[in-house]
Amino acid sequence: MSNESLANLLKEERRFAPPAELAASANVTADAYTRALEDRLAFWAEQARRLDWAVEPTETLDWSNPPFAKWFADGRLNVAHNCVDRHVEAGHGDRVAIHFEGEPGDSRTITYAQLKDEVSKAANALTALGVTTGDRVAVYLPMIPEAVISMLACARIGAAHSVVFGGFSADAVASRIADADAKLVITADGGYRRGKPSALKPAIDEALTKVDGVQRVLVVRRTGQQVAWTEGRDVWWHELVDTQSPEHTAQAHDAEQPLFILYTSGTTGKPKGILHTSGGYLTQTAYTHHAVFDLKPESDVYWCTADIGWVTGHSYITYGPLANGATQVIYEGTPDTPHQGRFWEIVQKYKVTILYTAPTAIRTFMKWGDDIPARFDLSSLRILGSVGEPINPEAWIWYREHIGAGKTPIVDTWWQTETGAMMISPLPGVTHTKPGSAQRPLPGIAATVVDDNAAEVPDGSGGYLVLTEPWPSMLRTVWGDDQRYIDTYWSRFEGKYFAGDGAKKDQDGDIWLLGRVDDVMLVSGHNISTTEVESALVGHPAVAESAVVGATDATTGQAIVAFVILRGTATPDDDLVTDLRNHVGKTLGPIAKPKQIKIVAELPKTRSGKIMRRLLRDIAEGREVGDTTTLADSTVMNLIQAQLPTTDNKS
Ligand code: 6R9
């Protein structure tokens, strides 16, 4: 961004009070903000007591060597014990931990007592395979219970896991295995996606021709498809794990014991291995899951639709919910298999009360039509969550109306792989929500918006989102590269963590996320966020989804180019394109009118649903399309390019 701060174009006046009943029985009330403000460290020390410690910490934060933090450093705990055993010991062994729903329609119910046995057997198996405390294990699995069991088994013995998206190529897996120096890989023959078995093991077989160090490969049989087998290296899960003893004594590890490495997709350059450790991470994931979802473990059925290979799957499928003793749904497949109502059928079947999904999914459901969720009984839902991208106000309203019966509160949760847990979000029993805003830092979190000179911007202005105090679940470093950790996150603004996102504060001081600053457009000297133009487009009744980029332009510096997906009922013609341009002009002002609007059927997205604007910029500027290895579906770019000439409309 240049010196001119980020323009504040979008106005949104709608407000929604929390339901009275929810407010009256909420896990967390407004006083949490006050207590945390009075003594932030005492607040986090109190939250750490939500966990079972083998040795209670006496220190809270060690910030003597910034930006390298230690939280609860003299405490010792076992993360898996906290997520599993302690619930069984407390008498909840019969409570369902996981309702697993396979894509083909198979299902499994796993209680906490059964989960304890499974995790213990897997921990014994890892030990039998020579994995010990301090080692790294790569996990490349579909969305099946073994993914969660593997993560917890690693945590139990103090080995760090590195989960790699099941969709990544052999090369992407190889570079991640090499960077983490993993000793063992856990994979499956395949998983079910879009109605078909989709192979996983061939990518591991190929990756292992490129890297050394992996001694064994543990293979879950999920689809029964043919696999190549390397004798002496490969071992079946059902042969090794299922025959282990279900007894395993969990040793305590240091609070700062590495728990996992997770590689960020990183739009450019080598992926960064984000390192998270144990005590602080588990404290903040458990606290935020309790506070933001108001989880009542005895009665709620929670479902997070994220993939386990995304940080959301780590923090809000495996660690936060299980630390809190939640009952949750895990679904293997895609939302349109075998029909476009699959998610709602699952909500109805398990009487899901808390649903956590991504804006990209919500916009897809908008595109498919209101009549689909209307066919199912969604009355069990009491809280809806959103994560991954800014949620456009119209998508937010659609979510509340069509999924939440016009009354269910929505929590728009801002956080990152690097932050480990939620940072900015409404509290469902406290906050008067605003469609499209993540609103306030959670209790114990310090975040604000600054200008180029690190000065806090006044209410009503935009700039850079920064975190001004360390937090328990913060990344500890970039694996093997402390300097990169300092340079990437702590160098732009002295003493502050720069998140890479643009944001604005409204007149009430509430925070609105405006997308990555790399995506901000500079049009005739004005910084305009892609998010605001996209939200204006999604505010038009014909539009389901849009992606906006700035393309080099001789007169204005950059020109706004919009890629638009229409709702099921709309007709793509020149009148509509003119109408859309005028609509943006009316909503945000003439400066934000797209120069070109291209109607497309798909947008390029990562597996966590983030739009890869870099690739669209390549198209808008007539360049060859760059690196597409982190795309969820690599055929999308061809589809978009093939579609374009007919919808071009230079004006
Ligand atoms: C959890 C996760 C992090 C980036 C982040 C921001 C975007 C996530 C958001 C959001 C607006 C939200 N992001 N949640 N933007 N509102 N509620 O997504 O982690 O995959 O590392 O991505 O995602 O741009 O900086 P990760």
Side-chain angles (χ1 to χ4, degrees):
M1 275 189 282
S2 74
N3 287 328
E4 146 114 23
S5 65
L6 199 50
N8 175 15
L9 301 174
L10 192 74
K11 298 274 175 290
E12 172 58 62
E13 303 293 341
R14 290 169 284 194
R15 302 281 180 278
F16 299 91
E21 208 183 309
L22 202 160
S25 62
N27 285 351
V28 176
T29 49
D31 65 296
Y33 292 109
T34 337
R35 278 186 293 122
L37 208 61
E38 276 164 8
D39 192 340
R40 190 173 55 88
L41 295 182
F43 174 83
W44 284 119
E46 179 191 322
Q47 302 317 322
R49 288 194 284 273
R50 312 176 63 76
L51 307 179
D52 256 11
W53 294 84
V55 178
E56 292 271 343
T58 63
E59 292 167 22
T60 302
L61 169 65
D62 176 353
W63 194 233
S64 56
N65 179 29
F68 299 95
K70 290 185 184 147
W71 283 85
F72 313 117
D74 63 345
R76 290 174 65 79
L77 81 171
N78 187 286
V79 168
H81 164 85
N82 273 280
C83 292
V84 185
D85 306 40
R86 65 164 170 157
H87 306 310
V88 178
E89 287 164 15
H92 307 308
D94 291 338
R95 184 186 294 161
V96 174
I98 296 171
H99 288 293
F100 169 71
E101 179 82 7
E103 197 187 70
D106 56 322
S107 61
R108 268 167 81 184
T109 304
I110 302 173
T111 63
Y112 273 95
Q114 290 165 334
L115 187 61
K116 177 173 178 277
D117 289 352
E118 294 306 316
V119 172
S120 299
K121 285 193 277 183
N124 284 325
L126 294 186
T127 305
L129 291 172
V131 180
T132 56
T133 306
D135 286 342
R136 268 86 48 210
V137 173
V139 176
Y140 188 70
L141 283 172
M143 281 298 292
I144 54 176
E146 285 78 3
V148 172
I149 293 165
S150 298
M151 293 163 84
L152 291 171
C154 290
R156 197 171 182 96
I157 64 171
H161 53 74
S162 162
V163 181
V164 181
F165 259 142
F168 281 172
S169 66
D171 282 340
V173 184
S175 66
R176 285 160 175 78
I177 290 175
D179 187 78
D181 195 13
K183 198 170 187 182
L184 172 78
V185 178
I186 307 179
T187 188
D189 49 359
Y192 291 97
R193 276 197 90 71
R194 295 186 204 289
K196 293 195 298 275
S198 159
L200 284 171
K201 189 165 183 289
I204 296 299
D205 291 332
E206 190 188 331
L208 294 187
T209 63
K210 301 174 188 195
V211 287
D212 300 324
V214 172
Q215 291 149 17
R216 307 301 298 266
V217 178
L218 183 57
V219 189
V220 177
R221 188 153 70 195
R222 167 64 184 141
T223 59
Q225 65 201 111
Q226 283 285 323
V227 289
W229 203 255
T230 304
E231 284 304 332
R233 185 195 72 183
D234 299 349
V235 51
W236 284 112
W237 178 287
H238 59 268
E239 287 176 3
L240 182 71
V241 179
D242 290 358
T243 53
Q244 299 293 314
S245 157
E247 298 300 324
H248 180 274
T249 310
Q251 305 292 333
H253 303 288
D254 286 346
E256 285 295 339
Q257 173 77 21
L259 180 61
F260 66 86
I261 302 167
L262 184 58
Y263 290 85
T264 53
S265 45
T267 46
T268 50
K270 179 168 162 261
K272 296 184 285 281
I274 303 302
L275 177 70
H276 284 287
T277 58
S278 302
Y281 172 82
L282 198 63
T283 296
Q284 194 175 330
T285 51
Y287 172 69
T288 51
H289 184 261
H290 160 86
V292 172
F293 293 127
D294 191 45
L295 180 88
K296 312 283 196 245
E298 322 72 43
S299 54
D300 275 317
V301 178
Y302 165 84
W303 180 23
C304 169
T305 69
D307 191 283
I308 204 78
W310 181 21
V311 69
T312 306
H314 286 55
S315 301
Y316 297 103
I317 293 177
T318 300
Y319 294 109
L322 295 178
N324 290 337
T327 294
Q328 71 177 314
V329 173
I330 292 182
Y331 172 56
E332 177 183 31
T334 50
D336 53 355
T337 306
H339 58 79
Q340 294 179 334
R342 186 69 190 270
F343 269 28
W344 318 122
E345 190 176 70
I346 292 173
V347 168
Q348 175 177 284
K349 174 174 176 185
Y350 294 103
K351 299 193 168 49
V352 172
T353 59
I354 305 168
L355 177 68
Y356 193 29
T357 192
T360 178
I362 298 163
R363 291 186 300 253
T364 303
F365 299 135
M366 287 170 76
K367 176 173 74 177
W368 289 344
D370 309 350
D371 53 316
I372 295 172
R375 284 181 221 138
F376 298 89
D377 179 5
L378 307 181
S379 61
S380 53
L381 289 169
R382 65 179 198 95
I383 291 182
L384 301 174
S386 174
V387 59
E389 283 179 290
I391 177 166
N392 324 99
E394 286 317 314
W396 193 104
I397 294 285
W398 187 93
Y399 196 24
R400 183 178 163 99
E401 289 300 318
H402 295 280
I403 308 304
K407 57 179 188 215
T408 307
I410 295 177
V411 286
D412 173 11
T413 62
W414 178 87
W415 57 292
Q416 308 177 294
T417 305
E418 293 86 341
T419 71
M422 296 169 183
M423 302 293 281
I424 306 177
S425 168
L427 287 176
V430 179
T431 314
H432 289 241
T433 53
K434 300 176 178 177
S437 174
Q439 297 191 276
R440 265 179 91 170
L442 287 166
I445 299 301
T448 191
V449 182
V450 298
D451 66 16
D452 270 297
N453 304 315
E456 212 167 319
V457 303
D459 289 349
S461 305
Y464 304 89
L465 182 71
V466 293
L467 305 171
T468 52
E469 298 288 351
W471 62 100
S473 64
M474 65 195 283
L475 75 165
R476 297 306 194 255
T477 189
V478 171
W479 180 254
D481 199 344
D482 287 349
Q483 193 57 43
R484 195 164 176 209
Y485 168 61
I486 298 169
D487 293 345
T488 311
Y489 303 106
W490 298 91
S491 299
R492 179 70 183 78
F493 301 105
E494 174 83 42
K496 296 184 174 74
Y497 172 94
F498 172 44
D501 284 355
K504 69 180 184 190
K505 289 197 282 176
D506 68 15
Q507 295 303 346
D508 306 323
D510 282 323
I511 294 176
W512 296 70
L513 275 305
L514 296 177
R516 309 291 299 169
V517 293
D518 304 340
D519 290 332
V520 167
M521 304 173 289
L522 186 62
V523 183
S524 304
H526 296 265
N527 282 309
I528 299 178
S529 94
T530 53
T531 301
E532 291 200 323
V533 181
E534 288 161 6
S535 288
L537 284 163
V538 175
H540 188 284
V543 177
E545 172 139 45
S546 88
V548 163
V549 299
T552 308
D553 185 273
T555 39
T556 54
Q558 281 190 323
I560 301 180
V561 179
F563 296 78
V564 165
I565 300 180
L566 299 181
R567 291 219 204 182
T569 47
T571 341
D573 58 22
D574 288 352
D575 287 351
L576 176 64
V577 166
T578 311
D579 195 33
L580 291 179
R581 295 186 64 239
N582 291 337
H583 172 79
V584 176
K586 233 175 45 225
T587 316
L588 302 178
I591 182 83
K593 246 188 184 181
K595 179 159 185 187
Q596 285 181 51
I597 293 186
K598 299 171 188 284
I599 311 257
V600 292
E602 286 298 340
L603 291 169
K605 290 177 191 159
T606 65
R607 276 292 289 278
S608 67
K610 293 186 192 2
I611 296 166
M612 292 187 70
R613 292 185 187 72
R614 170 174 64 79
L615 300 177
L616 294 174
R617 227 157 22 230
D618 290 343
I619 291 192
E621 296 185 340
R623 262 196 309 276
E624 197 179 322
V625 171
D627 181 12
T628 57
T629 46
T630 55
L631 275 184
D633 176 355
S634 54
T635 61
V636 164
M637 292 312 292
N638 302 338
L639 190 71
I640 295 173
Q641 277 170 314
Q643 240 189 328
L644 279 182
T646 51
T647 55
D648 223 12
N649 61 301
K650 290 237 167 34
S651 61

